[in-house]
Structure formats: structure tokens, C-alpha cells
Amino acid sequence: MSTFYDAMEVRSTQERVEHQFALLSDMLAQVLRQSPYYGELLAEFADLEEIDAATLARMPLTRKSDLQALQQEQPPFGRLTHLSPPVLTRLFASPGPIYEPETRRKDGWRFARALYAAGVRAGDLLHNCFSYHFTPAGAMVESGAFALECAVFPAGTGQTELQARTIADLQPRAYVGTPSFLKLILDKGDELGLDLGSLQKGLVSGEYFSPELRREFAARGIDALQCYATADLGLIAYETAEGQGMILDEGVIVEIVRPGTGDPVPDGEVGEVVVTCLSPVYPLIRFATGDLSAILPGPSPCGRTNRRIKGWLGRADQSAKVRGMFVHPSQIAEVLSRHDKAIKGRLVLNRDARGLDEACLQVEAETTEDTALLQALADSFQEVTKLRAEVSLCQSGSLANDGKVIDDLRPIETS
């Protein structure tokens, strides 16, 4: 039985890039005709015959807040697409609300690849504990399972005792859901004296999967891997048994950009995950997830040739209120962009002995003795943010590689 879901997972980097950007070029031509939103947003790219990574990096981002505003103006999908039956089969709503479509496309969220990497095979029964109510998580997994010719028990969330008793009765081979809920089910099974030993495989997502919990599952004979997905985009990346980090899905183009901008960062540097989904049915081009991650160097030991990310490393939205004024990562990016000698920077917030806000803009530069640059940065900061800040020049490479543009160290008020 093959280690890989399909040949796409082991193709050369050149083959993958050429294929993905050819798909994107074709998709863009269609999207510009059919989507009023993208027709306006990407009008300057309408005459391009081909798109490459540099061209994609010049396109504006679309954020979840943009999506929500568009949908509120014109539900359910804003002006992104005009899906209707029979292409549209189901509608879902995630918190916001954000409305997401399901279409007749087989495995439209591309979950079969992650399930296969987790050891799920044709003929398996999956106990699916992602929600089937309002949000698409349960349906996302189910569509992938059906593509693998598996059966699914649609367990959903809650009713821990009933979950444990059903697993004991039906003997599913695989669990899908959050890792914490699997822990609750297993503990309930122990409490009731039930045999839940049929579970051998697991695909978990939706929350932090701790090393301790991973070891506990392994001790019970359950090999659980995690994947990274969103309701808007479907599968983005997934773990494999042999590899470190998460392999990017073949159906998306992922960029890591500096928070507050759309500018890609070098491999290894932490930044915001931006995803272009290669599906013309529900186009999302340069969709900024708000999540932080980084590209891992080198190939995966599992044999798959796509790039890897470290996994979820936090949130990119680091806006903060200072002396009654909001400061956003995009403003810090604007300050730095005005000065060629500024390499990288972050705003560090704290409180002085009197309990008053203090702000220090730390900037990497070629030299830490450039007084003219210090003053120019201070002036730009005040002009952009309407606030004063101390400016400190740092040696190149000295700032932490954690994706932070605003580092708020002020103590949390508890009274």
C-alpha cells in the first residue's frame, strides 16, 4: 500500500510551482470575470497572461474582517462569488458570522490527503467528533473520508458517555476531532470500564496538541497526528508520521508575510500565514489568516517534497492601545518603510514606575550609532501614530524571530 496519497506529493519543486501558478493564472482569469470584488481589487492584474510568486506578492491581501464586512453588505458571500444550487449544496456559518459554502466538488476541502497521512485507509470507520451544527468542520472531514471510501459515524460534540459507549459498540478504527475531547472520551471509557481499544489512528485539530497528550494517546495505541485547517480555506497543512512540522497541502499556495504588511519574509522567519486557495468555485486569493508560522528549511524526512511550516505559533493581530490611541502592526511597517537603513523593528510597550505607558521602537540597523536615523525614525513614528516613542537601534539579527511587531509587556490589571 502506497505511503503517499498521490503522485503530487512527491513531484519536484519546479513541477509543483509551474502547475500551481498555471492553475492560479487560469483561475484568476475566471475570477476577474465572475467576482465583482476581485474584479475591482485585482483590476491592475487583469491583462497578465502568467503569474509568478513575485506577482502574487504584489496583490493586496483579503482579511477575515474584509470577508465579514462584504457578507454583511450582501449575504451570503459578499461579492466574491454567486454560488447557487445545484453547484451549491450546503451553507455553513462560523462565528462572526462568516458564511461558508459546500459544493458538489468531491473532497472540496481536500481533507482526504491529511486523513491518508494519518493512516486512514479505505474501509475504515471514522468516529467524527467535529461539529455538524452550523460550522463546516464535521462536513469537511466527512467529505475527505468519503473520498477515501471510508464510513463515518457523525458523532459531533458533547455527550461524552454516549460517545464512549458508541465507540465500544461500533469499534471504529480512527478518531477525528479535538485532542482534548478524545482525552475526555477515553477517560470516560476508563471510568465506565469500556473497551475503546479499536481506536488506532487519530487526526486532531482546532486547538493545541500538547506533547504530553500525544504521548498519552500513543501509550494507548493511538497514533494521532494533527492538521491545520480553517473553515474558509479547508486544509492548509498536515503532519506526517515520519516528518517534523506540517506539510503544505497541494491545493494551496502559502506565503509567510511580515505582520501588518503583505511582504513575504525569508524562509525561517516567523510571520503571518497568507493562503491562496486554488479553487475557482469559492476564490480566496491572498487570504490573510491572522495566524503566525514559519517555513521550515529543507525537505521532509517523510519523502513528501512540498514545503513545511512549523505549525501554529500564535496570532498576528497585535494591535494595542497606548495613551488612549490604538497602534497597529501596519503602522509600524509604514514607519520602517520610510527608511532604507531600517532592516526590521518592533514596538515594545511597558509601564514606568508611575504606571504610565512607555513605548520603545527597537529597530535593527547596520550601525547602532546613526543619530540621524534615530531622529528620523522618532519623527516618522510620531507622524504615523500621533504618539511619541523612544527609539533604540539594534544590531542586525538581534530581535527575536517570533513574528512580533508589537510586544506588549504591560502587566494585566487584575483589580
Side-chain angles (χ1 to χ4, degrees):
M1 188 174 291
S2 175
T3 304
F4 308 111
Y5 178 64
D6 59 23
M8 295 175 71
E9 294 183 350
V10 292
R11 55 187 169 170
S12 71
T13 299
Q14 182 177 349
E15 287 178 306
R16 178 174 292 107
V17 169
E18 289 178 353
H19 179 243
Q20 287 187 331
F21 279 95
L23 289 176
L24 179 57
S25 297
D26 292 341
M27 186 182 85
L28 184 63
Q30 180 178 336
V31 165
L32 290 174
R33 293 193 306 269
Q34 299 179 356
S35 169
Y37 169 71
Y38 281 119
E40 296 173 8
L41 186 70
L42 304 178
E44 66 178 283
F45 302 95
D47 296 329
L48 292 179
E49 294 184 2
E50 295 183 355
I51 299 173
D52 56 16
T55 305
L56 181 62
R58 292 194 291 110
M59 295 181 179
L61 302 179
T62 296
R63 298 193 171 275
K64 189 177 287 283
S65 56
D66 300 326
L67 199 57
Q68 185 175 355
L70 287 163
Q71 291 188 355
Q72 287 176 347
E73 292 173 5
Q74 189 174 322
F77 304 125
R79 296 181 296 122
L80 270 76
T81 186
H82 296 294
L83 288 175
S84 61
V87 174
L88 178 68
T89 56
R90 285 193 285 191
L91 272 169
F92 297 95
S94 295
I98 298 287
Y99 296 107
E100 295 106 3
E102 181 180 16
T103 70
R104 293 192 179 277
R105 295 188 68 183
K106 181 180 179 181
D107 191 21
W109 288 289
R110 309 174 310 283
F111 252 75
R113 192 177 300 282
L115 288 167
Y116 194 90
V120 175
R121 296 295 183 268
D124 285 344
L125 173 63
L126 276 66
H127 194 82
N128 186 4
C129 285
F130 280 121
S131 176
Y132 279 80
H133 180 63
F134 268 75
T135 66
M140 293 167 79
V141 171
E142 194 172 84
S143 65
F146 291 161
L148 288 176
E149 299 183 345
C150 297
V152 176
F153 180 79
T157 58
Q159 305 183 90
T160 312
E161 180 175 337
L162 186 57
Q163 300 272 7
R165 292 191 183 280
T166 304
I167 291 173
D169 288 343
L170 299 182
Q171 299 287 294
R173 183 170 178 266
Y175 165 91
V176 187
T178 63
S180 62
F181 194 52
L182 177 56
K183 163 70 172 170
L184 290 175
I185 293 173
L186 294 172
D187 288 348
K188 180 59 71 172
D190 291 344
E191 178 188 325
L192 299 172
L194 299 172
D195 179 9
L196 307 186
S198 68
L199 292 177
Q200 301 174 26
K201 302 294 180 182
L203 180 66
V204 300
S205 191
E207 63 185 18
Y208 177 59
F209 186 23
S210 69
E212 294 78 15
L213 207 51
R214 194 188 292 262
R215 287 192 292 268
E216 180 176 338
F217 293 160
R220 288 177 172 267
I222 304 171
D223 295 325
L225 300 179
Q226 64 180 329
C227 67
Y228 170 35
T230 73
D232 317 279
L233 297 157
L235 182 69
I236 298 172
Y238 58 96
E239 283 187 329
T240 64
E242 307 87 352
Q244 298 88 36
M246 289 187 172
I247 304 287
L248 295 179
D249 179 55
E250 299 293 335
V252 294
I253 297 174
V254 171
E255 304 165 274
I256 306 295
V257 307
R258 184 156 288 115
T261 77
D263 302 330
V265 299
D267 287 358
E269 185 171 330
V270 176
E272 183 176 8
V273 179
V274 171
V275 181
T276 296
C277 189
L278 298 171
S279 167
V281 177
Y282 184 56
L284 287 172
I285 299 171
R286 298 206 86 201
F287 187 75
T289 65
D291 294 328
L292 293 174
S293 192
I295 296 291
L296 283 170
S300 170
C302 74
R304 293 170 178 83
T305 55
N306 208 344
R307 297 188 303 164
R308 298 173 294 155
I309 58 174
K310 287 186 176 180
W312 187 81
L313 299 177
R315 292 291 293 172
D317 184 9
Q318 302 157 28
S319 300
K321 183 177 281 189
V322 185
R323 301 172 207 144
M325 299 284 289
F326 274 106
V327 182
H328 305 283
S330 58
Q331 291 176 298
I332 308 304
E334 167 65 20
V335 171
L336 298 175
S337 70
R338 297 184 178 191
H339 306 280
D340 293 338
K341 295 181 180 179
I343 301 170
K344 180 182 176 181
R346 72 168 64 198
L347 181 67
V348 179
L349 304 175
N350 218 322
R351 290 199 175 97
D352 62 20
R354 299 168 296 170
L356 301 177
D357 288 340
E358 57 183 13
C360 178
L361 182 63
Q362 299 178 346
V363 179
E364 290 184 6
E366 294 179 358
T367 174
T368 59
E369 306 297 329
D370 193 334
T371 55
L373 179 59
L374 276 171
Q375 186 59 54
L377 285 164
D379 292 343
S380 292
F381 184 87
Q382 185 173 5
E383 182 179 340
V384 171
T385 67
K386 314 305 178 190
L387 294 165
R388 293 182 182 275
E390 176 187 351
V391 178
S392 172
L393 297 182
C394 314
Q395 291 183 347
S396 177
S398 62
L399 294 181
N401 179 25
D402 55 11
K404 288 185 178 179
V405 177
I406 299 177
D407 192 5
D408 195 344
L409 303 178
R410 296 173 294 183
I412 298 173
E413 300 292 346
T414 58
S415 58

